[in-house]
Amino acid sequence: LPISDEQLQHIPYYKPPENSPEMEYLQAKRKALGGYLPARRKQANEQLTVPALAAFASLLKDSGDREISTTMAFVRILNIIVKDKNIGQRAVPIVPDESRTFGMEGMFRQLGIYSWQGQKYTPVDADQVMPYHEDKKGQILQEGINEAGAFCSWMAAATSYSTNNLTMIPFYIYYSMFGFQRVGDLVWAAGDMRSRGFLLGATAGRTTLAGEGLQHQDGHNHLMFSFVPNCVAYDPTYSYELAVIMQDGLHRMYEKQENIFYYISLMNENYHHPEMPANAEEGIIKGMYLLKEAANKKAKLKVQLLGSGTILRESLAAAELLEKDFDVSADVWSVTSFSELRKDASAVERDNQLHPTKKAKLSYVTHCLKDRAGPVIAASDYIRLYADQIRAFVPQRYVVLGTDGYGRSDTREQLRHFFEVNKYYIAIAALKALADEGAIPAAKVAEAIKKYKVDPEKSDPVSV
């Protein structure tokens, strides 16, 4: 450096000439890094082409004799995505633990688990068809039992479109109970960073995972994710609902490049999945659709049953009880997202408030229910506040059942009895709502309580 010993006493600032090799090198590197000021790239220069819903046709059909869980349906969807020629290489499956529990071991050989060192040992299942397989070119991130680390990996991939101008599609699947309550600050940061990707809360709901204790019984994460403005959250029951939601998510985040991310709850309970009803896509995405209309449209006694996630099946069973035992006809609605219904209704409410001279608009949930007869009974596998979000926008008497309380590890049947969200409690709630409206005598409700062997002196689940 052209600095004398005498000048060094004052530690002078030195800047090489603009045409010096040093300055040319620094200028070139800074240019390659995107300039001199920090900036957030709002959109990637590339626009991905995502598969159409038809690519997931197998998920839209009746499952036939086979009973599957929505977790298994997700793995099938993920397999279709990773094989897609346009976006398959951009998929980043992330698992902190329990890959085999989620049925993902088939991807080990196909994609490999990323390790910068490659496979350094022989796994105990090396002789099996689907052994644990690490690879320097692996696509799966297996982060060990480390939710914070796994979520940070998800954030890195979810913001790659902005930081690297390279769009990645991360899928982080984990036990739902170990979700927001463990990494809530990171979730908020992910929203602020405009992350794009999918968070899959598996073994979700307070009654769907039997025999593993309170640590896995999640009944509140949907409410917690609803706090994040740009998080889109769903609680689907059937494989076709999940396929529609995920395909729409791919379209919104990677073709339209919207600054949103998804939280989707998945269950490990196996049951039959029907074929997708005609024209159900819009309702699935907006948050609810009419799954089963009552056969007797002229019935004197009618109710509307709203079911979410696995408890939707209890609502369907309750409709059969009401029809068979009390001549009450029930329309059954599948609610894929109380949170999305609430967002829409709040936006409509705000618009009406700021445009008082214009004809008032109706929220989607109000539009669905306004011409339907009878009280509305909503039930989910989450605390009552989850379904209670839409109370202000339901035109009829609104009754909510949920899983408030800790609960105890037992069979699904016993857990749903404990939390009072099974078919019997839903039917009783519907009859009580009709009695409160004067449509039937209160004695009919007492008759149902006795018929269904419900103990009216049973302890409140919240107090146990």
Side-chain angles (χ1 to χ4, degrees):
L1 298 178
I3 300 174
S4 67
D5 292 344
E6 291 76 15
Q7 289 175 307
L8 279 176
Q9 300 303 316
H10 306 288
I11 314 177
Y13 176 77
Y14 173 73
K15 180 182 178 182
E18 290 296 328
N19 60 350
S20 67
E22 295 84 359
M23 288 300 289
E24 289 180 352
Y25 173 82
L26 290 172
Q27 298 276 21
K29 290 300 180 183
R30 177 47 58 189
K31 184 178 180 181
L33 288 170
Y36 292 89
L37 293 175
R40 173 183 283 165
R41 185 180 288 104
K42 294 181 179 180
Q43 292 189 335
N45 293 340
E46 58 181 354
Q47 183 181 50
L48 300 183
T49 300
V50 306
L53 185 60
F56 306 98
S58 60
L59 281 300
L60 311 181
K61 299 176 182 177
D62 192 292
S63 65
D65 296 332
R66 187 174 183 188
E67 295 185 341
I68 65 169
S69 65
T70 48
T71 300
M72 182 53 65
F74 161 70
V75 174
R76 292 182 179 181
I77 291 170
L78 184 56
N79 268 297
I80 292 170
I81 291 171
V82 297
K83 292 176 182 176
D84 184 85
K85 64 180 181 179
N86 293 315
I87 65 171
Q89 291 297 313
R90 305 301 181 91
V92 186
I94 303 171
V95 192
D97 188 21
E98 305 287 359
S99 293
R100 295 188 187 278
T101 300
F102 302 144
M104 297 178 68
E105 64 269 26
M107 292 186 172
F108 292 167
R109 182 184 292 276
Q110 177 188 351
L111 301 178
I113 298 164
Y114 172 73
S115 171
W116 68 275
Q117 299 181 87
Q119 189 79 50
K120 302 292 285 186
Y121 61 93
T122 302
V124 295
D125 59 356
D127 59 343
Q128 295 185 13
V129 176
M130 294 178 285
Y132 190 86
H133 170 61
E134 294 182 349
D135 195 302
K136 291 180 179 180
K137 295 182 179 180
Q139 198 165 340
I140 300 172
L141 299 183
Q142 175 87 6
E143 305 291 15
I145 307 177
N146 182 353
E147 285 84 6
F151 196 88
C152 287
S153 294
W154 181 87
M155 289 171 70
T159 56
S160 178
Y161 77 93
S162 178
T163 56
N164 302 314
N165 201 26
L166 179 66
T167 302
M168 305 302 289
I169 310 175
F171 302 86
Y172 172 27
I173 183 169
Y174 55 91
Y175 274 90
S176 68
M177 187 67 166
F178 308 151
F180 198 101
Q181 64 186 39
R182 289 196 178 178
V183 294
D185 197 38
L186 292 174
V187 174
W188 188 260
D192 180 47
M193 293 165 65
R194 306 299 189 261
S195 298
R196 299 172 187 168
F198 294 94
L199 301 172
L200 293 309
T203 61
R206 192 148 277 171
T207 72
T208 64
L209 183 62
E212 293 215 29
L214 297 180
Q215 64 166 337
H216 290 142
Q217 291 178 349
D218 167 31
H220 49 271
N221 265 271
H222 264 289
L223 270 179
M224 297 169 82
F225 274 98
S226 72
F227 302 161
V228 186
N230 50 347
C231 177
V232 182
Y234 288 96
D235 184 32
T237 306
Y238 297 124
S239 57
Y240 66 79
E241 294 176 347
L242 182 60
V244 168
I245 291 164
M246 292 193 68
Q247 194 279 332
D248 187 60
L250 289 171
H251 170 67
R252 291 181 65 183
M253 290 187 289
Y254 303 109
E255 284 192 336
K256 296 175 69 177
Q257 297 203 46
E258 292 185 39
N259 288 321
I260 55 176
F261 67 95
Y262 279 63
Y263 172 70
I264 305 174
S265 46
L266 306 173
M267 282 77 75
N268 73 326
E269 184 174 356
N270 294 325
Y271 46 79
H272 172 259
H273 292 241
E275 183 177 2
M276 184 170 70
N279 304 314
E281 294 96 318
E282 180 183 15
I284 291 171
I285 293 167
K286 287 188 173 181
M288 69 181 287
Y289 65 98
L290 183 60
L291 177 65
K292 186 177 182 180
E293 191 165 23
N296 185 2
K297 295 181 176 61
K298 297 182 180 180
K300 292 183 179 180
L301 299 174
K302 290 202 70 173
V303 295
Q304 306 299 313
L305 302 183
L306 276 57
S308 175
T310 190
I311 302 301
L312 170 62
R313 299 173 64 246
E314 298 289 342
S315 297
L316 287 165
E320 294 179 5
L321 289 178
L322 290 166
E323 178 70 36
K324 176 171 65 76
D325 296 337
F326 295 96
D327 293 323
V328 175
S329 292
D331 296 330
V332 182
W333 300 77
S334 175
V335 178
T336 53
S337 179
F338 283 104
S339 301
E340 286 301 293
L341 291 176
R342 169 74 184 189
K343 285 181 184 178
D344 168 78
S346 296
V348 170
E349 185 178 53
R350 175 184 177 275
D351 190 73
N352 289 338
Q353 182 173 300
L354 296 176
H355 301 88
T357 61
K358 293 185 178 180
K359 182 181 178 181
K361 298 177 182 178
L362 288 180
S363 67
Y364 179 71
V365 63
T366 305
H367 173 76
C368 287
L369 295 171
K370 66 182 178 66
D371 296 325
R372 296 283 168 171
V376 179
I377 291 80
S380 79
D381 215 13
Y382 296 86
I383 61 176
R384 285 192 287 269
L385 275 174
Y386 176 54
D388 215 45
Q389 294 180 88
I390 63 170
R391 178 177 294 276
F393 312 105
V394 176
Q396 300 92 330
R397 180 183 296 272
Y398 189 50
V399 180
V400 172
L401 303 181
T403 56
D404 296 67
Y406 279 113
R408 293 296 178 265
S409 178
D410 207 327
T411 65
R412 295 184 179 105
E413 182 181 9
Q414 287 298 326
L415 282 168
R416 286 166 192 167
H417 167 74
F418 174 85
F419 282 114
E420 302 171 4
V421 292
N422 65 15
K423 61 183 179 181
Y424 301 118
Y425 279 97
I426 295 172
I428 290 168
L431 293 170
K432 180 61 166 64
L434 286 169
D436 289 343
E437 293 186 343
I440 61 173
K444 278 289 182 184
V445 188
E447 179 187 334
I449 291 172
K450 183 177 180 180
K451 182 179 182 64
Y452 299 141
K453 299 179 181 179
V454 169
D455 179 8
E457 306 307 319
K458 170 181 169 292
S459 298
D460 186 336
V462 178
S463 67
V464 178

